[in-house]
Amino acid sequence: MRKTWLWIILPLVALAIAIGVFLSSNPLEPLGVSAPPIEKLTVERTLLDDQGISLFVRASGSEPMQIAQVQVDGAYWNFTQTPPGELPRLQTAWIKLPYPWVRDETHHIRFITNTGIGFDHEIAVAVPTPQISLSRILAYALLGLYIGVMPVALGMLFYPALKQLGGQGMKFILALTVGMLAFLLVDTLEEGLELATQSASAFSASALVWLVAITSFLAILAIGRRDGKSPEGKALASYLALGIGWHNLGEGLAVGTAFAAGEAALGSLLVVGFTLHNITEGIGIAAPLVDARPKFRTFLGLVALAGLPAVIGTWIGAFTFSPHWAAVFLGIGVGAILQVMVEVGAYLIRTAHRSGSNWLSMVSLIGFSLGLIVMYGTALLVNF
């Protein structure tokens, strides 16, 4: 046993020594080339209040950097930095500017380092940043309930009608669910990759979205099939609610961020669009329960699992938004939705075999296509 651990540790130690020698010996010098230091600055949050403008920045380049001057709308302005001094790689600081910003106006900010490199940031529409208070927490929670809990609950009211369907009807509903999940998968992945572009480049957030998605897919799949069987009934409905819940977290992020940025018209449109968009999700969650006799608290639990993440999303979007963490959350959502697609697809195949029919038929094709069309059509309300 000791020899085994020895042969595990020795290669790791040798690797660490080799990397240390490479970094300390300047191996590029004989080639006549050098790697110039790269300075980058990413603005992750912008706060506007009576005291002026506050910006949360991160040094995202390969070298430490020092902010020497700040311009606002072309004029140099005094600023304070917390913590002060040089920003090491990937470290953050608050830059506070006592600038009399104008509501609903556009302001341009330029950071200039001690090496003369400039980085630009634009405040498209200046509005006061919402401060955390009980009334605002409750107000954003209400928005989350509207876009998450309420539509999922309304969709699950179709459960009695689903129980009256025959074999072909259930095949149609399951295929419809797979189609809806396929749309949610693409939509969530797109949102995650878009947020990744807003984060510091050093995090490689786009790659992180893919890696987190694959890891979460395999982890949830392993948990779901830990007894060697594919989930059915209540278990399958729970995984459906989990995957949809991660997607609704992303929708909550969009709504919370829109209202926090003062885009009330866009935020209201998002609420209406997401509400209509999510009713079909409740139908999909209820479909695996048609052969069971779930209790009322089961429905409540599934609605909470699928809908309440939207509430959490509105809070994160309004008060503590961070692009790289939001991208990670959506990456988890991609993996969860993909896992649910696999399980619902397997359940569709098993259901078709039990009824003596082929799972790949015109009924399932129409159901899958309709799922895509319905989700795409309601999404148009959001992107209009």
Side-chain angles (χ1 to χ4, degrees):
M1 187 63 181
R2 290 182 179 179
K3 288 184 178 180
T4 301
W5 279 107
L6 180 63
W7 288 111
I8 292 175
I9 295 173
L10 279 178
L12 296 177
V13 172
L15 176 62
I17 294 174
I19 293 175
V21 171
F22 181 86
L23 295 177
S24 61
S25 62
N26 192 15
L28 298 179
E29 184 175 2
L31 302 178
V33 297
S34 61
I38 298 176
E39 295 180 343
K40 285 186 179 180
L41 188 71
T42 302
V43 178
E44 297 189 352
R45 292 194 67 196
T46 301
L47 303 181
L48 304 178
D49 55 27
D50 296 337
Q51 306 301 316
I53 303 174
S54 298
L55 303 113
F56 188 67
V57 301
R58 184 184 299 273
S60 54
S62 61
E63 295 291 329
M65 61 182 300
Q66 173 75 55
I67 299 175
Q69 295 174 315
V70 179
Q71 290 180 346
V72 184
D73 295 334
Y76 289 98
W77 209 262
N78 292 326
F79 71 95
T80 58
Q81 177 180 321
T82 307
E86 187 180 63
L87 277 176
R89 184 173 184 267
L90 294 182
Q91 293 303 302
T92 58
W94 279 102
I95 304 297
K96 296 186 178 181
L97 300 159
Y99 183 80
W101 55 273
V102 181
R103 187 184 181 95
D104 298 329
E105 293 290 331
T106 300
H107 295 291
H108 300 275
I109 299 172
R110 184 173 180 81
F111 301 92
I112 302 173
T113 69
N114 58 345
T115 60
I117 299 177
F119 300 94
D120 296 313
H121 175 68
E122 180 183 88
I123 302 174
V125 182
V127 292
T129 303
Q131 302 298 314
I132 297 180
S133 66
L134 180 59
S135 61
R136 285 196 173 95
I137 289 175
L138 294 177
Y140 280 107
L142 182 62
L143 291 176
L145 293 175
Y146 264 105
I147 66 176
V149 174
M150 185 185 72
V152 172
L154 291 176
M156 294 192 73
L157 290 178
F158 285 87
Y159 174 73
L162 296 179
K163 289 186 70 68
Q164 305 303 316
L165 297 176
Q168 292 299 309
M170 274 308 302
K171 185 193 297 185
F172 174 83
I173 293 297
L174 291 173
L176 178 79
T177 302
V178 175
M180 292 188 301
L181 290 170
F183 180 90
L184 294 181
L185 177 70
V186 175
D187 187 55
T188 306
L189 179 60
E190 184 181 28
E191 291 177 8
L193 294 175
E194 182 179 352
L195 284 172
T197 62
Q198 302 174 21
S199 66
S201 58
F203 288 127
S204 301
S206 295
L208 191 62
V209 170
W210 288 101
L211 294 174
V212 170
I214 294 171
T215 303
S216 63
F217 165 72
L218 294 175
I220 299 173
L221 186 68
I223 294 172
R225 299 195 177 191
R226 60 187 179 277
D227 57 356
K229 299 179 181 178
S230 299
E232 294 189 14
K234 181 180 176 181
L236 182 56
S238 298
Y239 284 112
L240 261 166
L242 176 65
I244 290 172
W246 278 108
H247 178 264
N248 287 342
L249 174 70
E251 294 181 348
L253 282 170
V255 170
T257 303
F259 276 101
E263 300 177 9
L266 173 60
S268 300
L269 188 62
L270 289 174
V271 170
V272 174
F274 286 149
T275 299
L276 297 174
H277 188 66
N278 292 345
I279 289 178
T280 49
E281 296 175 353
I283 300 175
I285 295 172
L289 299 174
V290 293
D291 294 329
R293 292 185 177 181
K295 296 181 180 180
F296 182 69
R297 66 171 178 265
T298 299
F299 288 103
L300 289 179
L302 292 173
V303 169
L305 185 59
L308 287 182
V311 176
I312 300 174
T314 60
W315 290 338
I316 295 174
F319 302 121
T320 61
F321 182 76
S322 175
H324 54 273
W325 282 114
V328 169
F329 290 153
L330 292 177
I332 296 174
V334 170
I337 294 171
L338 180 59
Q339 185 268 347
V340 175
M341 281 186 65
V342 171
E343 299 297 7
V344 175
Y347 184 62
L348 169 62
I349 295 173
R350 293 195 302 272
T351 302
H353 286 169
R354 290 169 188 167
S355 61
S357 61
N358 187 0
W359 69 272
L360 185 59
S361 64
M362 187 59 66
V363 171
S364 57
L365 180 60
I366 292 174
F368 178 82
S369 301
L370 186 60
L372 291 174
I373 292 171
V374 167
M375 298 301 281
Y376 178 78
T378 54
L380 288 178
L381 295 173
V382 179
N383 300 319
F384 180 74

